[in-house]
Amino acid sequence: MSAPDPQPVRISSVPVQLQALEPALEKIKAAVGDVPALLAIAGELGQTAPMPGEGSTAKLWELLASVTAVDVAAGRVLEPHLDALAILAQAGSETTTAGAWGVFAAEGPGMKLEAKRTANGSYVLHGSKPWCSLAQQLDGAVITAHLPDDGGRAAFAVNLKDPGVSAETPVWTARGLQEIPSGTVHFANVPATPVGGEGWYFSRPGFAWGGMGVAACWLGGAVTVARDYATALSKASGNGREPDQIALATLGEIDRTISTVTGYLAQTAERIDAGELEDADSEGQSPWSDALRVRGTVAAAVERIQTLVTQNLGPAPLVFDEAYAKRMADLSLYIRQHHAMRDDAQLGALALKGDRSW
């Protein structure tokens, strides 16, 4: 059922521009399921990938979407690596970024990662951090930690190969993203380089931009699910079974959904590059409210596409088509990074305060 050749996902580029992505996508296709190979490819792509807010944000999102369209787990590897590079660049950090990087900013009950000052004024990290994807295989990470004396949180660059770092092997029972387990990492006086100051990590415009980059990955996975569906209809037609009105209406809804979402992403990328989503404007609209809108809109579109396709294709491909079943499981788990109604509640609170365009 799945498309035989990797196909880029278009957000704003013309088709000839997307051809430049094809060699990388072929590498991704050959490396599916091979995490070390995917990490190496991420390292290569990070050397030339655009950074958000520097004039080519849509092209960055096309790269993320296109890689995820080939394999959702591959997108899950690439996105945090590129995000880490962008964070360090936004902070003006001179940290060496060889190898593969991640971003660990989650918090968990009963766990606390603290940044402690040493006698010479430098920092070390001590404590535990949950939801650290691929920590055992990464070279470095941008990590948030609590400052002394309840000083809030700040970001730090950390060498994950330091002997003070120990990563638990998580019990990963999920069927989705089996190559990308996320477990707890323990830090014992691990040297850490500050990245920005107190509160900078969450208040910078790039925090919102990075959240939208994740949404671009979600879209890429959904585009391939849609392509799976179109391929199934074409195959059935070739075997003499023409699609009925329900099947065609489903494809029509999928088409307009993807067209609407890609147009929204293209427009938002233009606004980022034009400097319109850097700080709250005179009307109180902030980059984070735009991130919530983008993420919520894309998440709803992805879940709708998955529902439509599974309803129409039934159980057979989930049972017998390995690539399709993997994609559905991976995407269903990845999309849960969106907090659904809780994110909408956060957006609603901002809208009630006047952070809206209507």
Side-chain angles (χ1 to χ4, degrees):
M1 175 192 295
S2 303
D5 299 313
Q7 300 177 51
V9 175
R10 178 182 180 275
I11 291 175
S12 67
S13 296
V14 297
V16 68
Q17 292 174 314
L18 291 174
Q19 291 177 2
L21 295 176
E22 292 175 359
L25 301 186
E26 289 291 347
K27 286 185 178 181
I28 293 291
K29 179 182 178 182
V32 170
D34 185 345
V35 172
L38 292 174
L39 289 170
I41 295 170
E44 293 174 8
L45 291 175
Q47 297 175 21
T48 58
M51 290 196 179
E54 296 188 356
S56 298
T57 301
K59 288 182 171 57
L60 167 64
W61 292 352
E62 285 173 337
L63 171 62
L64 291 169
S66 297
V67 167
T68 313
V70 176
D71 178 56
V72 175
R76 184 68 183 81
V77 168
L78 178 62
E79 184 277 324
H81 175 71
L82 297 187
D83 191 32
L85 299 186
I87 292 165
L88 293 170
Q90 289 159 12
S93 174
E94 297 181 357
T95 300
T96 302
T97 55
W101 280 62
V103 179
F104 304 149
E107 298 285 317
M111 297 184 195
K112 188 174 184 180
L113 181 63
E114 296 178 298
K116 300 180 178 180
R117 277 193 179 277
T118 64
N120 63 8
S122 61
Y123 282 95
V124 294
L125 300 187
H126 188 82
S128 301
K129 195 73 167 172
W131 294 104
C132 298
S133 301
L134 297 177
Q136 292 175 316
Q137 300 185 60
L138 296 175
D139 297 284
V142 175
I143 302 175
T144 59
H146 293 265
L147 295 171
D149 303 320
D150 295 323
R153 279 191 288 169
F156 297 86
V158 177
N159 173 16
L160 292 178
K161 302 303 183 184
D162 186 277
V165 177
S166 59
E168 293 182 4
T169 300
V171 178
W172 196 256
T173 60
R175 298 300 181 263
L177 296 176
Q178 292 187 336
E179 312 99 302
I180 321 292
S182 296
T184 298
V185 177
H186 306 286
F187 298 83
N189 297 318
V190 177
T193 302
V195 179
E198 177 188 345
W200 174 85
Y201 175 84
F202 295 102
S203 63
R204 65 194 165 90
F207 182 67
W209 304 344
M212 297 184 211
V214 174
C217 292
W218 299 339
L219 172 65
V223 166
T224 300
V225 171
R227 289 170 177 168
D228 287 340
Y229 181 63
T231 299
L233 294 188
S234 296
K235 183 177 179 180
S237 180
N239 291 331
R241 190 172 74 254
E242 294 298 326
D244 60 16
Q245 288 293 90
I246 299 297
L248 291 174
T250 294
L251 187 59
E253 181 177 345
I254 290 171
D255 176 77
R256 61 180 171 79
T257 298
I258 292 175
S259 296
T260 299
V261 171
T262 53
Y264 185 25
L265 285 174
Q267 180 188 55
T268 305
E270 286 183 4
R271 293 179 63 209
I272 289 173
D273 291 334
E276 296 178 16
L277 296 183
E278 293 186 357
D279 299 295
D281 60 22
S282 59
E283 297 178 354
Q285 290 186 269
S286 66
W288 184 239
S289 63
D290 280 283
L292 289 170
R293 293 183 192 106
V294 166
R295 287 168 62 88
T297 299
V298 173
V302 171
E303 292 181 319
R304 179 60 178 165
I305 289 168
Q306 285 189 288
T307 297
L308 288 169
V309 172
T310 54
Q311 285 178 344
N312 279 269
L313 294 186
L318 288 170
V319 175
F320 300 115
D321 188 321
E322 182 178 356
Y324 172 89
K326 178 183 188 301
R327 183 155 35 250
M328 281 296 196
D330 287 349
L331 188 56
S332 294
L333 183 55
Y334 197 4
I335 200 71
R336 289 279 54 83
Q337 283 192 6
H338 180 247
H339 303 130
M341 293 185 71
R342 287 180 173 83
D343 277 0
D344 277 346
Q346 187 180 160
L347 180 58
L350 292 170
L352 190 60
K353 293 178 181 178
D355 188 351
R356 60 181 190 265
S357 61
W358 42 272

